[in-house]
Amino acid sequence: VIKPGWGFSFDYQPGQYIGIGVEVEGRFHWRSYSLTSAPTSGRGEYSVTVKAMPEGLLSNHIVGTVEPGTIVRLQAPAGDFHLPSPTPDKLMFVTDGSGITPVMGMLRSMDRRSGDERFPDVVHVHSIRTRDDALFYDELLALERTQPGYTLHLRVTAEEGRINAEQMSALVPDWAERLRVLLR
């Protein structure tokens, strides 16, 4: 969770990313991370989810070393992959591993707004290598229980193999209709 200082804009679209600069051994290193918080949180904070990668200097540093209160540098939120406005009636998300992070920002935003407007018909196909790799799994299951419009299909590739086009069509028969909404 990042609480920006005075003068930083909190305006962003669910799904965008933010540039983060963290000092490591006297030098700032920059990476971009998807915003996993909903812009409607109202607390003046951003959240990102960082997965430590074996070869990742900054991801390992953030996960293993950075403590609350550490000062970081920020770039403004950016990116064209974001939730359309108005939100379409039908959506389909296909995510894999940590690639779920921008979609989590979108799902959280739709969940928070659902009191004012209906949660859309969302089919989410998420692929992970092993069950231990499942970021946000409990939250996704809770969302499926509380939002009748949300359907999760989890694919554990170590157990079931990679999903193919025929299997995808069986899971989401109207995928072409859902895809056209996002490509407009």
Side-chain angles (χ1 to χ4, degrees):
V1 175
I2 301 166
K3 185 168 181 84
W6 178 84
F8 197 84
S9 173
F10 292 94
D11 294 332
Y12 66 96
Q13 297 295 316
Q16 289 187 305
Y17 61 88
I18 190 167
I20 300 173
V22 178
E23 189 174 0
V24 180
E25 297 178 4
R27 183 171 168 239
F28 274 87
H29 295 266
W30 288 85
R31 296 293 180 275
S32 294
Y33 293 101
S34 296
L35 291 156
T36 53
S37 51
T40 57
S41 66
R43 297 186 338 212
E45 299 173 339
Y46 294 106
S47 71
V48 296
T49 302
V50 180
K51 180 180 178 182
M53 303 300 289
E55 68 285 351
L57 170 73
L58 196 55
S59 66
N60 280 300
H61 181 73
I62 290 172
V63 171
T65 308
V66 172
E67 295 187 19
T70 299
I71 295 176
V72 299
R73 294 182 180 174
L74 300 175
Q75 293 174 330
D80 293 330
F81 179 64
H82 55 80
L83 193 60
S85 182
T87 305
D89 291 333
K90 286 184 162 191
L91 290 168
M92 176 180 172
F93 294 119
V94 180
T95 56
D96 181 348
S98 62
I100 193 174
T101 55
V103 170
M104 279 310 299
M106 294 180 203
L107 291 171
R108 287 173 173 167
S109 179
M110 289 185 287
D111 188 40
R112 290 207 173 101
R113 294 190 316 216
S114 69
D116 301 328
E117 55 185 84
R118 187 182 61 78
F119 195 92
D121 176 357
V122 176
V123 176
H124 183 185
V125 180
H126 183 54
S127 178
I128 54 175
R129 191 173 343 111
T130 68
R131 293 192 185 275
D132 291 340
D133 295 330
L135 296 173
F136 310 111
Y137 185 59
D138 291 338
E139 187 175 353
L140 294 171
L141 290 178
L143 190 61
E144 192 171 38
R145 281 191 308 273
T146 61
Q147 292 293 354
Y150 178 73
T151 302
L152 173 67
H153 296 288
L154 183 70
R155 179 73 170 215
V156 181
T157 59
E159 299 170 11
E160 304 168 88
R162 291 184 178 177
I163 195 165
N164 62 35
E166 183 179 307
Q167 293 164 334
M168 184 68 79
S169 291
L171 286 176
V172 192
D174 64 346
W175 66 267
E177 178 184 334
R178 293 171 187 273
L179 184 61
R180 275 194 293 279
V181 168
L182 293 174
L183 295 178
R184 273 191 224 168

